[in-house]
Amino acid sequence: MTLRRGAARVLLGNWTGTSTVPSRTLYPHQWSWDSAFVAIGLRHLSVRRAQQELESLLAGQWADGRLPHIVFNPEVPYGAYFPSPDFWQSSRAGRAAGAPASPETSGIVQPPVHALAAWLVHRADPAESARRGFLERVLPRLTAWHDYLLTRRDLGGGGLAAVVHPWEPGMDNSPAWDRALARVEPDTGTFRRADLDHGDPADRPTDLDYGRYVRLVTAYRAAGYDDRATTHRFALEDPAFNALLITGELALAGMAGHLGRDGARHTARAAELTRRLVDRLWDDTAGVFRARDLTDGTLVGRRGVAGLLPLVVPGLPDDVVHALTRTLDGPHFRAPGTGLVPSHDLTGADFDPHRYWRGPAWFNTAWLVERGLRTHGRHARARTLREALVTEAGRTGFAEYVDPLTGEGRGARQFSWTAALALDLLHTDEEEPTR
C-alpha cells in the first residue's frame, strides 16, 4: 500500500491538468512514449485520466499521421528545455507535412506504444470507454499513425519502419547509434543545453552527441520534415521500435473487433511485420535482434536491450524466444546488483553504468521484457523481474533509471513512467497478457 500511494503521488504531482510530464524539472513538456506508459499505470487510478493522457497527446498529431515525440506546453518558458518550440518551428516548417497550427510540437517521433496503451486503458473499464466513445475517437488516429510509419518510414524497402534520429527509438545515446552518428558533422556553439541544469553531466549524453542531434534536426526541418524530400543521414531499422509497432497492430485489431469492425488488416500486418522483423534483424549467432543501418545495409554490431524487446511479440518463432531468454539470463544482460536489465551489454567495451542509455537499467524496458516473458509463458522468470522492478522503483524514489551493478538511482527522481509501471505491475497477475 505504501508503494501504491507513493506511485500515485508521483503521478498526481506530475499532472499538469491535461497530461503528465515525465519530470517537473528535467522534462517539463509532454513526451510521446512516456504518456503511453503513464496511461498504462493511470488506468489503475482513473480510467478517465488515462484516456485524457492519450487524447491530449493525439491532439498534437500531424495530418500525415505522425505522432510527434514532444507536445509543448505553451506556459513553459523556452529556456526551460532545449530543443524548445522555437527550435523545432513545427507550425511553420512543418506546415506542408501537416503540422497543427497549435499546439507546437517536435517534428520527430517515438516508439509506437500508444495503441497497446489505448487498448489496455479500454480493457480496464469498457463501460467508461463506451460511454465516452473512447475507442471510436482514438482508433482512426492510431491507425493513421501506424500507416505513416509503414509507408513514409519504410526507408529501406524491407517493410519495416525506420528511425531517422537517435531520439526516435527512445534510447538516445545507445552505443548502437555510434557508427551511424559518426557520419554526422556536429553543430557546435549554436545551442545551450538546459538538461545540464538539472542532470549530472556524467549521466547525460555528451556535447558531441548533442551537436549531432541538433544537426540532424536542422536538416530535417530545412526539408519541411518531409520524409520523401529528405536525404536522411541517420536511418536505421530498430528492433524494439518495430516490435512495438507489431503489438500495436494487434491492439488495433482488438479495438476494431470490439467495435464490430474487421480487424483482419491489422492482424495480417502484424504477421507480416513479425516475419520481416525476424528476416531482417534477427542475429541467430548472437541470440539477439540487431538494428540495421540503412546507409550500408549492415546489422549494427552492438548488443542492447532493444534487441531483447521483441519478446513482446506473440508470434515469434519458438527457437527465437528460447534464444532471447538465454541471452537475457547470460553474461551480457544478467545484472545481479538489481535484477533489472541493463540498457547495454555488460561485457561491452562501451558499457557505462551511469550514462543514460549506454548501460543503466530503465524501468520501461524492464516492464516490456516482463510482459514479453509472460507472453511466452515464462512466468517464473517474469515474476523475478516484476519483483525487482517494483522493489527498485520504491527503493530509489521512482528514479528515472538505475546503475544496474549497484542499484544506485540515477537521473531524475519522482519519474512518471517509473511510478506508472510499478503501479501497473502491482496489479499484474501471471495470466497471459491480452493480445
Side-chain angles (χ1 to χ4, degrees):
M1 287 301 296
T2 300
L3 189 62
R4 286 187 177 91
R5 286 195 295 268
R9 280 196 297 270
V10 171
L11 296 176
L12 292 171
N14 289 343
W15 176 253
T16 68
T18 56
S19 65
T20 307
V21 296
S23 160
R24 282 288 180 183
T25 55
L26 194 54
Y27 307 104
H29 299 285
Q30 183 179 23
W31 263 258
S32 174
W33 73 328
D34 291 73
S35 276
F37 289 123
V38 165
I40 289 169
L42 274 177
R43 68 192 170 120
H44 302 294
L45 301 176
S46 168
V47 167
R48 177 75 176 268
R49 184 168 288 186
Q51 292 175 2
Q52 189 176 357
E53 184 75 37
L54 294 170
E55 290 166 342
S56 64
L57 181 69
L58 288 165
Q61 187 171 25
W62 292 26
D64 65 3
R66 87 181 72 193
L67 201 54
H69 96 295
I70 303 175
V71 176
F72 289 106
N73 181 347
E75 297 180 4
V76 174
Y78 283 176
Y81 180 78
F82 177 83
S84 53
D86 58 332
F87 175 80
W88 294 98
Q89 302 171 21
S90 65
S91 61
R92 181 166 58 83
R95 186 179 305 148
S102 177
E104 292 289 336
T105 73
S106 66
I108 60 173
V109 303
Q110 275 189 327
V113 197
H114 316 87
L116 173 62
W119 184 229
L120 293 176
V121 168
H122 161 78
R123 298 274 300 184
D125 191 341
E128 173 68 3
S129 177
R131 188 185 68 78
R132 296 192 67 241
F134 175 65
L135 288 188
E136 289 91 338
R137 285 182 285 107
V138 302
L139 178 57
R141 286 182 170 273
L142 292 170
T143 300
W145 163 222
H146 286 201
D147 288 346
Y148 165 79
L149 293 174
L150 290 168
T151 54
R152 295 176 186 247
R153 284 301 188 88
D154 181 11
L155 302 179
L160 296 178
V163 295
V164 300
H165 193 287
W167 288 335
E168 291 201 321
M171 303 179 189
D172 304 15
N173 65 330
S174 166
W177 319 137
D178 287 355
R179 187 166 65 93
L181 275 178
R183 297 191 290 259
V184 178
E185 183 68 26
D187 186 299
T188 59
T190 64
F191 60 92
R192 177 186 174 277
R193 294 178 58 181
D195 61 313
L196 299 182
D197 294 340
H198 306 287
D200 185 340
D203 287 356
R204 305 292 298 163
T206 65
D207 286 343
L208 180 61
D209 287 332
Y210 254 79
R212 287 170 169 150
Y213 302 159
V214 168
R215 180 72 68 186
L216 289 170
V217 172
T218 54
Y220 199 20
R221 184 185 66 199
Y225 298 111
D226 184 345
D227 292 293
R228 294 169 178 167
T230 306
T231 300
H232 292 291
R233 286 179 277 183
F234 179 99
L236 295 98
E237 293 170 347
D238 176 61
F241 193 101
N242 281 280
L244 291 168
L245 183 57
I246 293 167
T247 63
E249 282 294 305
L250 294 172
L252 292 181
M255 293 182 209
H258 182 81
L259 295 173
R261 304 171 190 174
D262 187 1
R265 172 192 178 213
H266 298 296
T267 304
R269 290 208 305 198
E272 181 62 16
L273 281 165
T274 301
R275 183 186 68 78
R276 292 170 176 173
L277 178 73
V278 174
D279 287 349
R280 288 183 64 80
L281 306 185
W282 175 242
D283 184 341
D284 187 58
T285 301
V288 72
F289 285 87
R290 298 191 188 275
R292 182 175 293 276
D293 189 334
L294 296 178
T295 298
D296 58 15
T298 61
L299 292 178
V300 174
R302 294 288 187 277
R303 287 183 177 88
V305 70
L308 300 176
L309 296 190
L311 274 170
V312 299
V313 176
L316 282 185
D318 288 343
D319 62 325
V320 173
V321 174
H322 291 318
L324 285 172
T325 53
R326 285 197 302 270
T327 301
L328 173 66
D329 287 331
H332 302 290
F333 291 100
R334 192 64 180 246
T338 62
L340 299 179
V341 186
S343 53
H344 187 61
D345 182 355
L346 291 167
T347 70
D350 37 19
F351 169 78
D352 184 331
H354 291 171
R355 196 175 291 279
Y356 220 45
W357 288 96
R358 303 184 75 85
W362 291 72
F363 292 90
N364 65 326
T365 52
W367 183 89
L368 289 166
V369 171
E370 191 275 346
R371 184 175 180 84
L373 289 166
R374 282 189 292 119
T375 294
H376 296 286
R378 270 63 172 182
H379 294 298
R381 182 66 180 90
R383 189 185 313 117
T384 62
L385 183 54
R386 183 161 63 249
E387 290 170 354
L389 190 156
V390 169
T391 298
E392 295 300 321
R395 187 185 60 78
T396 61
F398 303 101
E400 186 177 1
Y401 47 85
V402 302
D403 181 322
L405 304 178
T406 67
E408 178 189 7
R410 308 292 296 187
R413 300 300 191 274
Q414 309 296 302
F415 199 73
S416 290
W417 79 24
T418 303
L421 298 176
L423 183 64
D424 182 65
L425 290 186
L426 288 171
H427 290 81
T428 297
D429 57 28
E430 295 188 0
E431 293 179 359
E432 185 176 312
T434 303
R435 295 181 179 178

